[in-house]
Structure formats: structure tokens, C-alpha cells
Amino acid sequence: MNTVQFRLRTLREGVLGLSLREFRRRINAQLPDHARVSLGTLSNYERPPDERPRAGPRAEFIAALKRAFPPLRLEWLILGEGQPTVVAERLSAPEGLETKAGAATGEGSTFAAGVLTRYPDLEYLSPDASAVFMSALTRLAMGEPNMALDERRLLELAGDLRWLLLLPVGAWGFRHAPPYRAFSDYAVAMLHALSQLMPDSGEGDPIDDHAASILPRLRRFRRVGF
């Protein structure tokens, strides 16, 4: 999976057509003085993945980037899914997880394919519910203080979100396959509700603090007292 650093360069050069200096100026306008980035810091964020690794962008940097460029889609920046901007995404054909997974090329499977391989029951989601799932996953990833952006950790977060989505169904003892439309309607409502409970950017608990047990992971939703 491409890195966020590489997508930042694609965004600046290919989508926005801005110089490094102007790109930095617009982002710094959204940051307090103590958090502003230098040209050197920004170029490290943009370093291509085939060069030696650098630390990923801070959560506050990503939040400032979104404020500076509202059309930017964080799903594309963080997950590498869909189009870079809202307009470009709306112009593309709507796709569910299974459609995206089936569109993988010889270069390797997409992130959506990896999610479906590990959690095949998500194929029950409609295209609308799939889009909300990926959006909620992005917000969950943004809550991580250390920005859990590598594919392994994103898949773990996808599993957390899937578990939270299916928890009420399992708690009531339903074991049969639900009607497709009814389940998708439920999924959209549940995912929207979960998104409202998720912490703001960088304010959640680190995933490494509770990797051994799934139940303490609910503490990530600290706004509701878990």
C-alpha cells in the first residue's frame, strides 16, 4: 500500500499544483505557532516510500491539511481508497467493498480486498454502507495519537470497527444471515452513530495499549465513558 508521505506529494504536485513553500504556508495558517512545520519537515512527510523511512505526519498536521484544503478526502490520504477530492469521488462510479476488491490489478490487492479477505461477512454491506464504513475507519484511524497508518494496523482497526458494528446483532443472539437491504440500512445508521462517538484527531488511546484484548479497545470511545 502506498504511504501517506507519497500521497502528500501526489496531492501537492498533481492535484493542487502548489510549490512546497505555498503548500506549507497554507497548512501553517491553520496551525498554532508552536506546531508549525518547516520546509524540511514537510519534505520529510512527502518522502517517497522507496527511500529510508520517516515518521508519518502528526494528527494535528493532517487536521490542518483538511482545514486548509476542504475538498481533500481523508479516506484517500489515509487509506489510499477512492479519489483525492470530493468532486473527483462523486464523479466516479459508486462502489462497494466487494467491487473495489474485485478491481485489484496485478500490482497487488487493494486495501479493500485485504479487508474483505479477513472479514468476509462485510460483503453484506451495500455500496452506501461500504462507503460509510471506510469513512468511519478513517475517523477511527485519525483518533490514534501515533497515526496507525500502516496496512497491518489499519486492518486491525477495520476489525475493531466490524466488531462494534456487529456487537448489537450478536448480543441479541441473531446467527442467521440478515436480509441484505435491512442489514445495510442498519449498518449505515450504526456506523453514523459510532462516528459521532469517536475521539477527535489524535485524542484516542494508542492501539498498542490494548492489543491483547478486544474489550478494552472500547476505551477508544472515551467520550461516552468507556
Side-chain angles (χ1 to χ4, degrees):
M1 186 170 70
N2 288 338
T3 64
V4 170
Q5 290 93 328
F6 184 73
R7 285 193 287 274
L8 276 172
R9 174 171 290 184
T10 300
L11 172 70
R12 179 177 64 81
E13 296 179 350
V15 179
L16 301 172
L18 297 176
S19 67
L20 190 63
R21 189 175 300 277
E22 176 62 16
F23 192 51
R24 181 199 62 159
R25 186 190 69 77
R26 295 195 190 186
I27 294 170
N28 279 341
Q30 304 297 326
L31 289 167
D33 290 344
H34 73 273
R36 290 182 177 177
V37 296
S38 66
L39 287 176
T41 302
L42 192 53
S43 64
N44 286 340
Y45 286 167
E46 293 186 333
R47 188 174 296 274
D50 57 348
E51 299 183 21
R52 62 179 179 172
R54 297 280 180 163
R58 302 188 306 269
E60 59 188 358
F61 173 91
I62 298 293
L65 183 67
K66 177 63 176 177
R67 290 194 296 269
F69 305 102
L72 170 66
R73 291 183 65 252
L74 293 180
E75 293 91 340
W76 170 79
L77 181 68
I78 295 176
L79 303 178
E81 295 292 330
Q83 302 298 319
T85 66
V86 174
V87 172
E89 180 70 9
R90 287 176 178 172
L91 291 175
S92 64
E95 297 176 337
L97 276 168
E98 63 277 12
T99 305
K100 290 183 178 182
T105 66
E107 298 176 356
S109 61
T110 65
F111 177 71
V115 172
L116 277 184
T117 298
R118 186 171 297 191
Y119 314 111
D121 50 2
L122 291 178
E123 290 185 5
Y124 282 116
L125 298 182
S126 67
D128 289 343
S130 295
V132 179
F133 182 91
M134 296 302 259
S135 179
L137 178 59
T138 298
R139 183 161 180 179
L140 192 56
M142 285 291 295
E144 290 291 326
N146 301 319
M147 295 295 289
L149 296 176
D150 63 277
E151 186 166 353
R152 177 184 65 81
R153 291 190 172 194
L154 282 171
L155 284 172
E156 290 179 8
L157 288 177
D160 290 349
L161 185 58
R162 168 197 167 275
W163 182 77
L164 290 168
L165 172 64
L166 298 177
L167 179 62
V169 178
W172 283 98
F174 294 109
R175 294 290 182 266
H176 61 281
Y180 179 81
R181 183 69 260 172
F183 179 71
S184 292
D185 289 344
Y186 156 79
V188 169
M190 186 64 177
L191 288 166
H192 275 304
L194 288 171
S195 293
Q196 296 303 310
L197 302 177
M198 291 176 187
D200 289 331
S201 178
E203 294 185 354
D205 296 328
I207 190 172
D208 287 338
D209 283 358
H210 34 75
S213 171
I214 194 166
L215 289 177
R217 295 179 190 180
L218 283 171
R219 289 181 301 183
R220 185 178 292 113
F221 297 87
R222 57 177 59 178
R223 286 185 179 177
V224 290
F226 290 107

